[in-house]
Amino acid sequence: MIWQFILGLVLASLLEWVVHKYFLHNLGKKKASLFSFHWGVHHRKARKNGFADRTVSMREIVGVFFLCLLASPIMFVSPITYTGMFVHAMVYLVVHNYAHNNPDWCYKHLRWHYDHHMGKDQDKNWCVVHPLADYLLGTRRKYEYRNK
């Protein structure tokens, strides 16, 4: 039973990685894209304000709930696995917004996400909740900062 929940967390981490890399960045860098707000607004604001972005994005909230709905057939195969995925999604929403409202906290506790926004290469460190998929897929990069 616990392994099914853990599987849900792993699947959600991989899904987060794919969505962030391919939709929010690859498509998001195209100005006419539905996802352009991520790169054009969120990343620009975070870079400009030392990681802070106090805007709560309705697109992010709707997008996360849409992905939960899209993954819901898993509930009929393994409700516990889906619960793990759903918990991950809810933690994502809370942690992502909290991190961008509290940059020092993020630097200390979600360093991989801080590195995603403030590091040399913003096309690395795709995960927010935990860096599992970044480690599995070789995209975790650690950076040092002069002012920290």
Side-chain angles (χ1 to χ4, degrees):
M1 187 154 98
I2 188 71
W3 294 110
Q4 291 172 318
F5 187 81
I6 292 170
L7 175 62
L9 297 176
V10 171
L11 290 173
S13 182
L14 291 167
L15 180 60
E16 177 186 358
W17 189 95
V18 166
V19 168
H20 198 167
K21 179 177 178 19
Y22 293 107
F23 289 87
L24 300 180
H25 277 248
N26 287 6
L27 291 176
K29 289 178 182 176
K30 297 177 180 173
K31 290 187 195 286
S33 166
L34 172 68
F35 306 101
S36 63
F37 75 95
H38 179 79
W39 183 257
V41 177
H42 178 57
H43 269 264
R44 187 175 342 121
K45 192 179 282 189
R47 269 305 244 231
K48 180 181 174 188
N49 298 320
F51 189 81
D53 179 2
R54 299 194 188 327
T55 308
V56 175
S57 170
M58 283 309 294
R59 289 183 184 196
E60 181 178 47
I61 293 167
V62 169
V64 167
F65 279 102
F66 175 75
L67 288 172
C68 289
L69 184 62
L70 202 61
S72 66
I74 294 170
M75 188 172 18
F76 300 105
V77 177
S78 177
I80 296 168
T81 300
Y82 181 77
T83 300
M85 294 177 77
F86 187 81
V87 166
H88 185 283
M90 296 306 103
V91 169
Y92 170 89
L93 285 176
V94 171
V95 165
H96 187 241
N97 283 294
Y98 187 82
H100 282 287
N101 279 290
N102 300 280
D104 291 335
W105 178 87
C106 184
Y107 181 83
K108 185 176 180 183
H109 298 288
L110 265 69
R111 182 63 181 274
W112 50 91
H113 189 55
Y114 189 91
D115 287 345
H116 172 69
H117 282 278
M118 304 307 291
K120 289 184 282 187
D121 188 351
Q122 293 182 62
D123 288 321
K124 298 288 185 226
N125 303 307
W126 303 108
C127 298
V128 173
V129 176
H130 51 79
L132 177 64
D134 279 315
Y135 280 116
L136 290 174
L137 299 168
T139 54
R140 173 69 177 109
R141 297 292 181 274
K142 296 178 182 179
Y143 299 108
E144 296 300 322
Y145 304 91
R146 289 185 204 157
N147 301 345
K148 293 287 181 184

